[in-house]
Amino acid sequence: MNKLNKRFDMTAVATDVVMLVVEDKELKLLLIKPKHPELAGKWALPGGMVNPDESVEDSVKRHLLNKAGVKDVYLEQLYAFGEVERDPFGRVVSIAYLALVPDSQRIKLMTTGSYEGISWHPISQLPELAYDHQKIVDYSIERLKAKIGYTNVIKELLPEDFTFNQLMGAYELILGKKLDKRNFSKKIIALKLIKPTKNKSVGGAHRPALLYKFTSKDLKIIEIL
Amino acid sequence: MNKLNKRFDMTAVATDVVMLVVEDKELKLLLIKPKHPELAGKWALPGGMVNPDESVEDSVKRHLLNKAGVKDVYLEQLYAFGEVERDPFGRVVSIAYLALVPDSQRIKLMTTGSYEGISWHPISQLPELAYDHQKIVDYSIERLKAKIGYTNVIKELLPEDFTFNQLMGAYELILGKKLDKRNFSKKIIALKLIKPTKNKSVGGAHRPALLYKFTSKDLKIIEIL
DNA sequence: ACAAAAGTGTTTGGAGTACACCCATGG
DNA sequence: CCATGGGTGTACTCCAAACACTTTTGT
């Protein structure tokens, strides 16, 4: 137990954020590298203490802005992790959030005083994580897997305009399995989830694809898969 | 802001529990009546502060034991409510839990020093609730509705042995709609969720029904509805 | 005998799944 | 002209939903 507990004799509240992006046909996670010697070699989720004068969600936003220069991303609370010994530096209950950013939106990675670095890591090959952060990441992937099956959240991981294959690719990455192109297209069209734009993709080495938009900007609950 | 904030200059962690039971063909919620004059006329969810030396879940169990004499009930974390002004007495983040108890299990309702009373209230006619507790209750019902559709949690609300109609009745209460007897039975039997015992119900004014047991004591994830 | 809940099958429509070929473009 | 990803339809199977009568018991 550290000075935090000694000083206050109560439980502190922090947040941890699992921030995901789809890039280069990989699902990637934002991690920071703490300077603290006890965590040498390990990476951690971005996050930090909740101030008394800010809501928990505002606290997440503040830390994301400070560490990654990000505003207006999709945020969803995952779970509160409340084991006594989960943080060796003190009694901290951590409220985990999931953040999704579209591939197009560039994040400004900022290395502040307390961190050696901050960078994106493919989910399939994560380094060793500090605290119970691996557990939090696993949990978040499970949640996301489930949620793309009954909502249109996936839109938060795609740019404004996208091709049909980008959409299906994002589903396949998250679910970790291949989908049938024709059946998937049938369902997405039947649900009127997306609508074609008048443009086509450019730069692809081959046949240009139609670009689509989502029909709704709001999160919708609809059975998809 | 109260002394809690002034003294610690940080955020406190508490829990609130939505404890449900099925009784008299009603879904009922356990509420306490606080003595504090500022909450006059309002009821509240049972719960309390998390001590630094106990996990959040252990804290829920402790408060349930103290206030309702309950042990070994189904507990599931719902959501952490973290708005700054949610509690007029101080900066408190509350982690809400759902608790399910089988109708047979008798709860010893204990009125301790800080409460005027504790009792069960049908969900369909709740009194005015303190804080953001109505929001928490609404959220918990939504969660339960979803969860009985893809798990066997419903067992936590039923006695060891139960009739087919008790089971279907519990589903109907939570979903708030009638189900088809034959289709429901077909599905439940196909899933091997329950097995018949050698006994029949007694005391009913009419034809006795077969009693069933759940085939598994563990929470199972299976598409049910 | 009658009132009340228990128990039990069939039909039909819609959704999910499996499956293969031609097209447009850049190099 | 060739390589690469883009785009499209049909047939079959299975599950969901609609639907009504007979049985057993207590009074």
Side-chain angles (χ1 to χ4, degrees):
Chain A
M1 289 297 178
N2 75 341
K3 59 180 181 175
L4 205 67
N5 286 341
K6 293 247 168 67
R7 219 167 91 220
F8 298 113
D9 191 29
M10 62 189 292
T11 302
V13 183
T15 59
D16 285 305
V17 183
V18 175
M19 186 162 187
L20 298 175
V21 76
V22 172
E23 203 177 36
D24 307 328
K25 306 202 171 176
E26 289 266 22
L27 188 59
K28 294 182 178 176
L29 170 66
L30 186 64
L31 292 174
I32 58 165
K33 193 151 176 42
K35 276 191 182 162
H36 199 288
E38 203 169 320
L39 300 177
K42 295 186 182 176
W43 292 74
L45 296 174
M49 290 298 162
V50 175
N51 289 337
D53 60 348
E54 65 184 355
S55 73
V56 173
E57 189 164 319
D58 286 344
S59 177
V60 173
K61 289 177 183 165
R62 177 171 58 84
H63 284 108
L64 283 185
L65 191 58
N66 290 345
K67 297 193 176 65
V70 193
K71 269 175 76 173
D72 302 322
V73 296
Y74 173 82
L75 266 188
E76 172 184 340
Q77 191 189 108
L78 288 171
Y79 198 78
F81 292 83
E83 293 303 312
V84 175
E85 299 296 343
R86 59 170 294 283
D87 185 333
F89 302 122
R91 176 66 168 115
V92 180
V93 169
S94 175
I95 304 180
Y97 276 76
L98 175 65
L100 303 179
V101 295
D103 169 275
S104 70
Q105 178 165 355
R106 280 296 94 202
I107 307 301
K108 296 186 280 288
L109 304 180
M110 305 170 178
T111 302
T112 70
S114 37
Y115 304 114
E116 280 181 25
I118 178 167
S119 55
W120 295 101
H121 299 253
I123 283 287
S124 54
Q125 357 168 350
L126 290 181
E128 197 183 351
L129 300 186
Y131 314 108
D132 53 0
H133 286 184
Q134 183 64 53
K135 196 165 116 189
I136 298 178
V137 172
D138 293 345
Y139 187 87
S140 70
I141 304 289
E142 284 312 304
R143 172 80 69 98
L144 184 57
K145 257 190 205 180
K147 198 138 184 175
I148 59 173
Y150 66 91
T151 70
N152 60 351
V153 241
I154 196 100
K155 72 186 164 62
E156 307 293 345
L157 284 168
L158 292 170
E160 187 82 6
D161 291 13
F162 52 88
T163 67
F164 175 82
N165 266 24
Q166 272 181 289
L167 175 63
M168 196 172 89
Y171 269 94
E172 290 180 333
L173 268 180
I174 294 164
L175 296 174
K177 67 175 181 190
K178 288 284 170 197
L179 297 175
D180 182 279
K181 218 190 333 180
R182 283 170 290 188
N183 293 336
F184 184 76
S185 125
K186 220 184 310 174
K187 214 178 299 185
I188 296 293
I189 289 167
L191 289 168
K192 293 183 179 144
L193 261 187
I194 63 179
K195 61 184 175 199
T197 68
K198 283 162 192 148
N199 305 314
K200 299 203 166 192
S201 65
V202 289
H206 298 289
R207 175 176 177 180
L210 240 181
L211 289 173
Y212 291 86
K213 274 185 196 308
F214 279 93
T215 47
S216 168
K217 296 219 170 190
D218 304 321
L219 188 68
K220 283 198 174 175
I221 311 280
I222 305 179
E223 201 65 34
I224 294 177
L225 297 180
Chain B
M1 288 297 174
N2 74 341
K3 59 179 181 173
L4 205 65
N5 285 341
K6 293 249 169 62
R7 218 167 91 221
F8 298 112
D9 190 30
M10 63 190 291
T11 303
V13 183
T15 59
D16 285 306
V17 183
V18 175
M19 187 163 186
L20 299 175
V21 77
V22 172
E23 203 176 36
D24 308 327
K25 305 200 173 180
E26 290 265 23
L27 189 60
K28 294 183 178 176
L29 170 67
L30 186 64
L31 292 174
I32 58 164
K33 195 153 174 39
K35 275 189 181 162
H36 199 288
E38 203 169 318
L39 300 176
K42 295 185 182 176
W43 292 74
L45 296 174
M49 291 297 163
V50 175
N51 290 337
D53 61 348
E54 65 186 355
S55 74
V56 174
E57 188 164 320
D58 285 345
S59 177
V60 173
K61 288 178 184 164
R62 176 171 58 83
H63 284 108
L64 283 184
L65 191 58
N66 290 345
K67 297 195 175 63
V70 193
K71 269 175 73 173
D72 301 322
V73 295
Y74 173 81
L75 265 188
E76 172 183 340
Q77 191 189 110
L78 287 172
Y79 199 79
F81 292 84
E83 292 304 310
V84 175
E85 299 297 342
R86 57 171 298 281
D87 186 333
F89 302 121
R91 177 66 167 110
V92 180
V93 169
S94 175
I95 303 179
Y97 277 76
L98 175 65
L100 303 179
V101 294
D103 169 275
S104 68
Q105 178 164 355
R106 280 297 92 201
I107 306 300
K108 296 184 280 287
L109 303 180
M110 305 170 177
T111 302
T112 68
S114 37
Y115 303 114
E116 279 180 26
I118 180 168
S119 56
W120 295 100
H121 299 253
I123 283 287
S124 55
Q125 356 168 353
L126 291 182
E128 197 182 351
L129 301 186
Y131 315 105
D132 53 357
H133 285 184
Q134 184 65 54
K135 196 164 116 189
I136 297 178
V137 172
D138 293 345
Y139 186 87
S140 71
I141 304 291
E142 285 313 303
R143 172 79 69 97
L144 185 56
K145 256 191 205 177
K147 198 137 183 175
I148 58 173
Y150 66 91
T151 70
N152 60 351
V153 241
I154 196 98
K155 72 186 164 64
E156 308 293 345
L157 284 168
L158 292 170
E160 186 84 5
D161 291 14
F162 53 89
T163 67
F164 175 82
N165 268 25
Q166 272 181 287
L167 175 62
M168 196 172 88
Y171 269 94
E172 289 180 333
L173 268 180
I174 294 165
L175 296 173
K177 68 175 182 189
K178 289 284 170 198
L179 297 174
D180 182 279
K181 215 188 340 177
R182 284 169 289 187
N183 292 338
F184 184 78
S185 120
K186 221 182 307 172
K187 216 177 299 186
I188 297 292
I189 289 167
L191 289 169
K192 294 187 178 140
L193 262 187
I194 62 178
K195 60 185 175 197
T197 66
K198 282 162 192 150
N199 305 314
K200 299 201 166 193
S201 65
V202 290
H206 299 290
R207 175 175 176 178
L210 240 181
L211 289 173
Y212 291 86
K213 276 186 196 305
F214 279 92
T215 46
S216 167
K217 297 219 169 189
D218 304 321
L219 187 69
K220 282 198 177 178
I221 311 280
I222 305 179
E223 200 65 34
I224 295 177
L225 297 180

